[in-house]
Amino acid sequence: MTDLPVRIRPEIAALPAYRQGRQASADAFKLSSNENPFDPLPGVVDAVRAATTFNRYPDASAGRLRARLADRYAVAPDGVHVAAGSVSILYQLASATSGPGDEIMFAWRSFEAYPGLAAVAGATAVAVPLTADAGHDLDAMADAVTDRTRMIIVCSPNNPTGPVVSQAAFDAFVARVRSDVLIVLDEAYAEFVTDPDAVTGAAVLAAGHANVVVLRTFSKAYGLAGLRVGYAIGDHRILDAARSTGIPLSVTAQAEEAALASLDAEDELLERVRHIAVRRDALADRLREAGWDIPVAQGNFVWLPAGERALEIAEAFDAAGLIVRAFAGDGVRISIGEEESIERIVAAAASVVG
């Protein structure tokens, strides 16, 4: 861009803005943002409604939520960091670890924010292609580590393609990476995983790897996407560095209350998650029967590997009243939404297969 009124870093000027999933009309299904289709539980809504001291700043550290999560993961409270969504923590960690001349590595295609956080930090993005079955190639990622590598992100289940990283593969990967490189295990969709061999943040933390930070969120399984609250667990010295780069007071009192109420209602929430996982597996099977090569789906979404037809196929879904997420040149991600959407998804997908 040459018409900017002030000097902007060229890599920022060239960076596309984050593109949110489009809102759906009243007669369509929004399946583009991996949101939980269930309404918030009444107890969670009541907790938010009771947090009415808008004239006061919230607790900057979200102390009660941090203490609750620290008990859950058997760590000290300073081993938990809460921020306005786990993506905020990713940006904080990138800023804390990386700058010009440094490298931030991730699999690709994966979460679309990853290249941007490297650019914002001034670092170089290193994108390692996925395997043929749309999973992480951890051997290739380990081979790509250089003296400039500062941060590596492993997304399991991988968004938008769906496969998980196994515990054995992750452990072997950590063993191959220098101990002074930060490894971030991004588990935004962990609650939907049904594969018993999948890596878990709890197991990683128990292994005591000081250079590994685990990210989780309340946006997906817990249905708090509109309130923006996520957290990290790891070595307090790494999290202190992230905290120092974050925007203070970014987690509202309402978000903290909702997260605490969600933990109180966890059994009921996770029962909903189980329904979504069953719905996901059934949809993936039906799409395979229709002729689509669906990768193993372990998040709350399925992936159509549409390649160069991605935008065309997304338009066909749009015409059928289904708002999906197209990734040009790669594929289409379909979030698991209402049960009533399933027949329409299958029909639309069958109409454009092959």
Side-chain angles (χ1 to χ4, degrees), residues 3 8 24 27 33 37 43 50 80 134-135 150 176 207 211 215 219-220 223 231 241 247 271-272 319 325 329-330 337:
D3 59 345
I8 301 293
D27 60 346
S33 297
V80 179
R150 297 291 178 269
R176 287 192 61 191
N211 64 322
L215 288 189
S219 294
K220 307 303 181 184
Y231 62 97
I247 298 173
E271 181 60 27
R272 293 177 167 190
R325 191 65 170 270
D330 286 323

Side-chain angles (χ1 to χ4, degrees), residues 65-75 80 82 218 231 263:
L65 180 56
R66 286 175 64 202
R68 184 79 171 269
L69 294 169
D71 286 342
R72 163 174 295 214
Y73 291 98
V75 299
V80 179
V82 176
F218 285 93
Y231 62 97
L263 292 174

Side-chain angles (χ1 to χ4, degrees), residues 12 14-20 112:
I12 299 301
L15 190 67
Y18 177 78
R19 185 171 60 87
Q20 184 183 17
E112 63 189 290

Side-chain angles (χ1 to χ4, degrees), residues 7-325:
R7 294 183 180 183
I8 301 293
R9 288 165 49 198
E11 63 271 28
I12 299 301
L15 190 67
Y18 177 78
R19 185 171 60 87
Q20 184 183 17
R22 183 161 59 86
Q23 300 300 315
S25 61
D27 60 346
F29 293 101
K30 185 187 177 190
L31 309 174
S32 56
S33 297
N34 292 347
E35 297 157 328
N36 191 318
F38 292 98
D39 290 336
L41 291 173
V44 176
V45 174
D46 290 343
V48 174
R49 284 175 173 162
T52 57
T53 55
F54 306 134
N55 57 313
R56 303 294 183 187
Y57 287 116
D59 176 359
S61 70
R64 288 185 300 139
L65 180 56
R66 286 175 64 202
R68 184 79 171 269
L69 294 169
D71 286 342
R72 163 174 295 214
Y73 291 98
V75 299
D78 61 1
V80 179
H81 174 40
V82 176
S86 57
V87 69
S88 296
I89 302 175
L90 279 170
Y91 275 89
Q92 293 166 12
L93 291 169
S95 297
T97 61
S98 308
D102 297 329
E103 295 176 347
I104 296 177
M105 184 188 301
F106 44 85
W108 196 253
R109 175 171 286 274
S110 193
F111 181 33
E112 63 189 290
Y114 294 160
L117 64 92
V120 170
T124 300
V126 177
V128 178
L130 297 173
T131 61
D133 57 1
H136 280 55
D137 190 339
L138 292 182
D139 285 335
M141 292 176 72
D143 290 341
V145 172
T146 71
D147 291 340
R148 298 196 299 161
T149 307
R150 297 291 178 269
M151 176 171 160
I152 303 172
I153 309 169
V154 176
C155 183
S156 181
N158 187 51
N159 172 28
T161 60
V164 294
V165 170
S166 73
Q167 186 70 56
F170 187 84
D171 291 343
F173 176 70
V174 173
R176 287 192 61 191
V177 175
R178 295 194 324 270
S179 61
D180 63 348
V181 175
L182 172 63
I183 301 173
V184 179
L185 176 59
D186 187 348
E187 287 196 300
Y189 301 92
E191 291 86 357
F192 299 98
V193 173
T194 54
D195 183 347
D197 295 326
V199 64
T200 67
V204 171
L205 294 168
H209 302 296
N211 64 322
V212 179
V213 167
V214 176
L215 288 189
R216 301 291 290 268
T217 182
F218 285 93
S219 294
K220 307 303 181 184
Y222 290 88
L224 302 184
L227 288 174
R228 309 304 301 129
V229 55
Y231 62 97
I233 315 101
D235 188 289
H236 73 91
R237 294 164 293 185
I238 299 173
L239 300 185
D240 284 345
R243 284 185 270 263
S244 70
T245 68
I247 298 173
L249 304 161
S250 61
V251 178
T252 66
Q254 292 72 31
E256 184 178 17
E257 293 294 347
L260 288 166
S262 295
L263 292 174
D264 290 337
E266 189 167 41
D267 289 345
E268 189 171 357
L269 283 167
L270 293 185
E271 181 60 27
R272 293 177 167 190
V273 167
R274 284 187 281 273
H275 283 293
I276 292 171
V278 169
R279 194 176 298 168
R280 170 201 69 203
D281 292 345
L283 175 60
D285 286 343
R286 293 190 63 184
L287 292 173
R288 293 184 187 109
E289 291 170 0
W292 281 99
D293 183 16
I294 303 296
V296 175
Q298 288 285 287
N300 65 335
F301 50 87
V302 295
W303 175 250
L304 302 184
E308 296 301 322
R309 298 182 63 212
L311 298 182
E312 166 204 340
I313 287 171
E315 290 178 359
F317 276 90
D318 196 352
L322 301 163
I323 310 303
V324 297
R325 191 65 170 270

